[in-house]
Amino acid sequence: MTPHRNIGFVAAAATLLAAAPLSAIFERWTWLIQAAVVVAVVAGSAALSRLGRMPLWGQVLAMLAGLTLGLTWVFPGGTELLAFVPTPATFAHFGDLLQTSLQDMRSYGVKVPDVDSLLFLAVLGIGAVAVVVDVLAVGLRRPALAGLPMLAIYSVPVAVYVDSVPATPFVVGAAGYLWLLVTDNVDRVRRFGRRFTGEGRDVDVWEASPLAAAGRRLAVVGVIVAVALPLAVPGMTGGLLNNVGAGPGDGSGRPGQGGSSGRVDLFAALSGQLNQSEELDLVKVSTNETTPFYLRLGVVDDLRPSGFQARVPTGRPITRPLPDPGERAPRGVDQQRYRATVEVTKNLNMPLMPVYAEPVKTDDLNGNWLYDPNQQVVFSNRDNARGKSYSFDYVRSTFSPAALRAAPSLPSDSPVMRQQTERPSVPAVEELVAQLVKGKSNDYDKVRAIYDYFSVENGFTYALSTRNGSSGEDITDFLATKVGYCQQYAAAMAWLVRAAGIPARVAVGFTNGSKADSGTYVLTNRNLHAWTEVNFSGIGWVPFDATPAAAVTGSVRSAWAPDIDAPEEVTPSTGSTSAPDAAGPSAGPNEADRLDKDTDQGLTLNQGGPAEESPVWPWWLAGALALLALLAVPALRRSALRRRRRVRAVTPAATALPVPGQRGETRQVVVGVDAEAARADAHAAWDELLDTLVDFHVRVDRTETPRATAERLAREALAERGDAATGVRLLGRAEERARYARDPLTDTELQPALRTVRGALAAGADRRTRLLAALLPPSVLQRWRTGLAERSARVVTTSGQVRQRMSRWSPRRLLAHRPA
């Protein structure tokens, strides 16, 4: 096994070892088997390309082709040729997998099952890293830089893992990286020759020098420190949901008072828990309120083109006095004070603490926990809610429709109005809202018109088997198909309310779960829920739950937001709980969904028919033409160079002298020979001969004289072709005369001899050599490499000269030469 093949094999194995941390994300080891197959195909393609002595860019193309074949074999689309040759439909299948993976990343929590989209994304990333590692370690002989793409693989579980990333996979990946470095160093020593110890003795067997032994010890110590340090520092053991950042929560990016929690993708956490097949206890809460409202966890109120996102909250330590809304209760708002005790299980791992709205006093929580009075959330930038037990007092506000109807609109320059009404422009949504609020004179009637729109009578049904996005496109699709679950209902209503010019946001938390005999509610991942909160001037945030109550276990309806799908007109008591025996929870993942539908039940948006997809073949054709043009550049360069060197017929330079004759004719008289032109023609012919030898892999010795080179070619490469041997001797004699003689060879044309020699060399070469000489001439590639090396050397030389000149003006040097 040659050294390059050995390093290529080690590079592929090191890439698979570096991917070991992905075991913390997937439930099974399917990803490793598929990644091993793809990496093996990539490594085999690289080995074959190096066996064919292809240039580095050719090796990269071969590895990318191998990556494509491997992905086609592992993730077939059903339209492949010979089970592994991709077709345009295969690439369309890959695009669908990538698009689906973006949704699945937000739908599943770690550990994720063997989903084809996520497996494809992981295997594609590992295969791409394998290509980069091979280029760096083998092609460029910079194995130390190969650690960067390997580190990129390790950063994936660090970013998404909700708990501390296990140390063992990191050790495995580090071992693969060290293996690659050691293999490269051993190969360099073998290329150098004999090995020497630190004392200068040459040895025939392996005997480590003290310096090498010290280097290995430092490497081992470095790996141990890199693994032990994150385990020893508490702040470095968290995953994505524990990361924290500072900011006031208004999107400005300025540091906030008391710190702030990290951005938590509440929608991703919600959908990930809803789609889990296993039911997990998350929270146990007991309260002296008879029918409590939802337990809040966080707020999602930053509406961007990509959808709703959670702002970074900010606040003061919860140990300080909290604002008491009961001291300023407006007319028509009934406020009662209650007490609750919460026990968070180890299954809830977030820097957010579940509390009821408007807490006024907490116990058993330290100063690491902060309270944001605007978002009404308790968060931490240092701690986690996992396993915590605490108690708190809170105020429960109930609102009368008359009080909400009498509330004036917020002024346009209000910070809440500016921030909580921002939205992307979606014409279909704006038109729908204009129809719904037409003729409504106050904010509450507008909100109720939007709230009443999400009814079963209007065709809305509940289903988990929908996309979980909240962008303009997702909301438009939901309003068109009218099928979704709590996330779509809450986000859609908040969007429509904002379109009506009223501040709105989405709250995420828990519905009321099963109640034990002791009065304790047990909340599981099936109770996770999202609802809408609307801000009324002088009153504050008022909850509205637009999700069908029959589909939500523990759903709460109120006088200001009644159950619009109730079979009969019933005026529920304030804070009453409806549908305790509902058919399915807001978080039921695998139930037989009676509300699913595949057809559109009456679109209310002004949408046209299905958009015609633009044909893909022009892009494929353009890409193929661009690739062919790129591959044709070396051949075109070689052809242009050959035309410039084409030997001109050397003719004597003549001068026309008038000679008297019978009719006064003028005849040409030879007065000299253009020696410089003949010398240039000989040099051009000889340069073309040397490039031809390089193209057909014939040895070129630059130390030989032209005569010696011609004789060697006539004796070895052209021995059986007399006319070619005569031609090469002629070319050698012409170059020798052009270099050393006063008068160059001028009485013979060199072009026919050059064509004869080239034809003889092509006839003696194999088919592959002739093909490469025509399409990818090695002489052109060699000339480019030499030019690049020369330019790099000039850059290094110039930078050294600049540094040397700048050092003359160094203050330290000037002070050193200053006279005392």
Side-chain angles (χ1 to χ4, degrees), residues 411-431:
S412 58
D413 58 348
S414 170
V416 176
M417 174 66 77
R418 291 198 308 267
Q419 184 185 78
Q420 301 299 334
T421 56
E422 290 183 351
R423 66 196 182 279
S425 177
V426 180
V429 174
E430 302 288 340
E431 183 177 350

mmCIF file of all heavy atoms in Angstrom, residues 411-431:
data_model
loop_
_atom_site.group_PDB
_atom_site.id
_atom_site.type_symbol
_atom_site.label_atom_id
_atom_site.label_comp_id
_atom_site.label_asym_id
_atom_site.label_seq_id
_atom_site.Cartn_x
_atom_site.Cartn_y
_atom_site.Cartn_z
ATOM 1 N N PRO A 411 -52.403 53.841 21.540
ATOM 2 C CA PRO A 411 -51.888 54.841 20.581
ATOM 3 C C PRO A 411 -50.843 54.229 19.663
ATOM 4 O O PRO A 411 -50.146 53.285 20.025
ATOM 5 C CB PRO A 411 -51.293 55.921 21.492
ATOM 6 C CG PRO A 411 -51.049 55.242 22.795
ATOM 7 C CD PRO A 411 -52.105 54.190 22.937
ATOM 8 N N SER A 412 -50.741 54.782 18.480
ATOM 9 C CA SER A 412 -49.839 54.209 17.471
ATOM 10 C C SER A 412 -48.380 54.309 17.865
ATOM 11 O O SER A 412 -47.551 53.519 17.397
ATOM 12 C CB SER A 412 -50.061 54.904 16.126
ATOM 13 O OG SER A 412 -49.834 56.307 16.256
ATOM 14 N N ASP A 413 -48.033 55.282 18.726
ATOM 15 C CA ASP A 413 -46.639 55.430 19.137
ATOM 16 C C ASP A 413 -46.312 54.642 20.391
ATOM 17 O O ASP A 413 -45.216 54.769 20.945
ATOM 18 C CB ASP A 413 -46.307 56.906 19.369
ATOM 19 C CG ASP A 413 -47.222 57.540 20.423
ATOM 20 O OD1 ASP A 413 -48.238 56.908 20.781
ATOM 21 O OD2 ASP A 413 -46.912 58.671 20.863
ATOM 22 N N SER A 414 -47.241 53.816 20.859
ATOM 23 C CA SER A 414 -46.984 53.000 22.043
ATOM 24 C C SER A 414 -45.942 51.932 21.723
ATOM 25 O O SER A 414 -45.991 51.316 20.648
ATOM 26 C CB SER A 414 -48.277 52.344 22.515
ATOM 27 O OG SER A 414 -48.010 51.372 23.514
ATOM 28 N N PRO A 415 -44.967 51.689 22.626
ATOM 29 C CA PRO A 415 -43.964 50.634 22.357
ATOM 30 C C PRO A 415 -44.590 49.270 22.140
ATOM 31 O O PRO A 415 -44.141 48.502 21.287
ATOM 32 C CB PRO A 415 -43.080 50.676 23.611
ATOM 33 C CG PRO A 415 -43.267 52.040 24.181
ATOM 34 C CD PRO A 415 -44.687 52.415 23.890
ATOM 35 N N VAL A 416 -45.638 48.954 22.912
ATOM 36 C CA VAL A 416 -46.304 47.662 22.732
ATOM 37 C C VAL A 416 -46.961 47.597 21.356
ATOM 38 O O VAL A 416 -46.899 46.575 20.664
ATOM 39 C CB VAL A 416 -47.325 47.433 23.855
ATOM 40 C CG1 VAL A 416 -48.093 46.128 23.615
ATOM 41 C CG2 VAL A 416 -46.632 47.388 25.205
ATOM 42 N N MET A 417 -47.597 48.702 20.957
ATOM 43 C CA MET A 417 -48.244 48.731 19.644
ATOM 44 C C MET A 417 -47.222 48.564 18.523
ATOM 45 O O MET A 417 -47.437 47.801 17.571
ATOM 46 C CB MET A 417 -49.018 50.034 19.481
ATOM 47 C CG MET A 417 -49.626 50.239 18.098
ATOM 48 S SD MET A 417 -50.928 49.054 17.706
ATOM 49 C CE MET A 417 -52.273 49.756 18.675
ATOM 50 N N ARG A 418 -46.115 49.253 18.612
ATOM 51 C CA ARG A 418 -45.101 49.165 17.549
ATOM 52 C C ARG A 418 -44.488 47.772 17.472
ATOM 53 O O ARG A 418 -44.300 47.235 16.378
ATOM 54 C CB ARG A 418 -44.003 50.201 17.784
ATOM 55 C CG ARG A 418 -44.453 51.638 17.585
ATOM 56 C CD ARG A 418 -43.232 52.547 17.402
ATOM 57 N NE ARG A 418 -42.264 52.354 18.473
ATOM 58 C CZ ARG A 418 -42.224 53.078 19.580
ATOM 59 N NH1 ARG A 418 -43.112 54.049 19.772
ATOM 60 N NH2 ARG A 418 -41.298 52.863 20.509
ATOM 61 N N GLN A 419 -44.193 47.210 18.637
ATOM 62 C CA GLN A 419 -43.480 45.931 18.631
ATOM 63 C C GLN A 419 -44.400 44.756 18.369
ATOM 64 O O GLN A 419 -44.061 43.845 17.606
ATOM 65 C CB GLN A 419 -42.764 45.745 19.973
ATOM 66 C CG GLN A 419 -41.900 44.492 20.041
ATOM 67 C CD GLN A 419 -41.307 44.303 21.421
ATOM 68 O OE1 GLN A 419 -41.964 43.857 22.350
ATOM 69 N NE2 GLN A 419 -40.038 44.666 21.558
ATOM 70 N N GLN A 420 -45.576 44.745 18.970
ATOM 71 C CA GLN A 420 -46.437 43.575 18.922
ATOM 72 C C GLN A 420 -47.435 43.602 17.767
ATOM 73 O O GLN A 420 -48.338 42.770 17.732
ATOM 74 C CB GLN A 420 -47.197 43.439 20.250
ATOM 75 C CG GLN A 420 -46.292 43.312 21.462
ATOM 76 C CD GLN A 420 -45.406 42.084 21.388
ATOM 77 O OE1 GLN A 420 -45.750 41.097 20.737
ATOM 78 N NE2 GLN A 420 -44.254 42.123 22.045
ATOM 79 N N THR A 421 -47.295 44.557 16.865
ATOM 80 C CA THR A 421 -48.107 44.534 15.637
ATOM 81 C C THR A 421 -47.248 44.385 14.390
ATOM 82 O O THR A 421 -47.787 44.398 13.275
ATOM 83 C CB THR A 421 -48.953 45.829 15.517
ATOM 84 O OG1 THR A 421 -48.080 46.970 15.566
ATOM 85 C CG2 THR A 421 -49.976 45.911 16.638
ATOM 86 N N GLU A 422 -45.947 44.245 14.561
ATOM 87 C CA GLU A 422 -45.066 44.035 13.412
ATOM 88 C C GLU A 422 -45.372 42.696 12.765
ATOM 89 O O GLU A 422 -45.591 41.686 13.451
ATOM 90 C CB GLU A 422 -43.604 44.082 13.851
ATOM 91 C CG GLU A 422 -43.124 45.461 14.248
ATOM 92 C CD GLU A 422 -41.648 45.459 14.609
ATOM 93 O OE1 GLU A 422 -41.084 44.342 14.699
ATOM 94 O OE2 GLU A 422 -41.074 46.536 14.802
ATOM 95 N N ARG A 423 -45.370 42.687 11.459
ATOM 96 C CA ARG A 423 -45.678 41.464 10.719
ATOM 97 C C ARG A 423 -45.233 41.629 9.279
ATOM 98 O O ARG A 423 -45.218 42.755 8.770
ATOM 99 C CB ARG A 423 -47.180 41.164 10.756
ATOM 100 C CG ARG A 423 -47.991 42.210 10.003
ATOM 101 C CD ARG A 423 -49.452 42.189 10.329
ATOM 102 N NE ARG A 423 -50.186 43.184 9.543
ATOM 103 C CZ ARG A 423 -50.253 44.463 9.844
ATOM 104 N NH1 ARG A 423 -49.632 44.919 10.924
ATOM 105 N NH2 ARG A 423 -50.955 45.289 9.074
ATOM 106 N N PRO A 424 -44.863 40.550 8.597
ATOM 107 C CA PRO A 424 -44.611 40.626 7.157
ATOM 108 C C PRO A 424 -45.914 40.852 6.401
ATOM 109 O O PRO A 424 -47.004 40.538 6.888
ATOM 110 C CB PRO A 424 -43.989 39.261 6.836
ATOM 111 C CG PRO A 424 -43.577 38.699 8.158
ATOM 112 C CD PRO A 424 -44.523 39.250 9.162
ATOM 113 N N SER A 425 -45.803 41.392 5.235
ATOM 114 C CA SER A 425 -46.985 41.668 4.427
ATOM 115 C C SER A 425 -47.376 40.428 3.638
ATOM 116 O O SER A 425 -46.606 39.936 2.803
ATOM 117 C CB SER A 425 -46.703 42.846 3.480
ATOM 118 O OG SER A 425 -47.821 43.083 2.647
ATOM 119 N N VAL A 426 -48.563 39.910 3.934
ATOM 120 C CA VAL A 426 -49.132 38.782 3.193
ATOM 121 C C VAL A 426 -50.481 39.243 2.669
ATOM 122 O O VAL A 426 -51.450 39.352 3.434
ATOM 123 C CB VAL A 426 -49.285 37.541 4.087
ATOM 124 C CG1 VAL A 426 -49.873 36.389 3.292
ATOM 125 C CG2 VAL A 426 -47.943 37.141 4.681
ATOM 126 N N PRO A 427 -50.594 39.586 1.395
ATOM 127 C CA PRO A 427 -51.836 40.185 0.873
ATOM 128 C C PRO A 427 -53.079 39.348 1.155
ATOM 129 O O PRO A 427 -54.140 39.905 1.482
ATOM 130 C CB PRO A 427 -51.554 40.306 -0.629
ATOM 131 C CG PRO A 427 -50.056 40.371 -0.734
ATOM 132 C CD PRO A 427 -49.551 39.502 0.367
ATOM 133 N N ALA A 428 -52.993 38.033 1.029
ATOM 134 C CA ALA A 428 -54.178 37.198 1.250
ATOM 135 C C ALA A 428 -54.663 37.305 2.690
ATOM 136 O O ALA A 428 -55.873 37.350 2.954
ATOM 137 C CB ALA A 428 -53.860 35.749 0.893
ATOM 138 N N VAL A 429 -53.723 37.352 3.640
ATOM 139 C CA VAL A 429 -54.099 37.477 5.047
ATOM 140 C C VAL A 429 -54.708 38.843 5.313
ATOM 141 O O VAL A 429 -55.721 38.974 6.023
ATOM 142 C CB VAL A 429 -52.871 37.226 5.944
ATOM 143 C CG1 VAL A 429 -53.208 37.504 7.410
ATOM 144 C CG2 VAL A 429 -52.377 35.798 5.787
ATOM 145 N N GLU A 430 -54.113 39.894 4.772
ATOM 146 C CA GLU A 430 -54.639 41.238 4.987
ATOM 147 C C GLU A 430 -56.064 41.353 4.443
ATOM 148 O O GLU A 430 -56.927 41.975 5.071
ATOM 149 C CB GLU A 430 -53.718 42.260 4.300
ATOM 150 C CG GLU A 430 -52.264 42.234 4.755
ATOM 151 C CD GLU A 430 -52.075 42.790 6.152
ATOM 152 O OE1 GLU A 430 -52.965 43.534 6.609
ATOM 153 O OE2 GLU A 430 -51.048 42.484 6.782
ATOM 154 N N GLU A 431 -56.318 40.755 3.298
ATOM 155 C CA GLU A 431 -57.657 40.826 2.717
ATOM 156 C C GLU A 431 -58.661 40.060 3.559
ATOM 157 O O GLU A 431 -59.803 40.506 3.762
ATOM 158 C CB GLU A 431 -57.620 40.279 1.286
ATOM 159 C CG GLU A 431 -58.948 40.381 0.561
ATOM 160 C CD GLU A 431 -58.853 39.904 -0.876
ATOM 161 O OE1 GLU A 431 -57.715 39.688 -1.347
ATOM 162 O OE2 GLU A 431 -59.904 39.749 -1.520
#
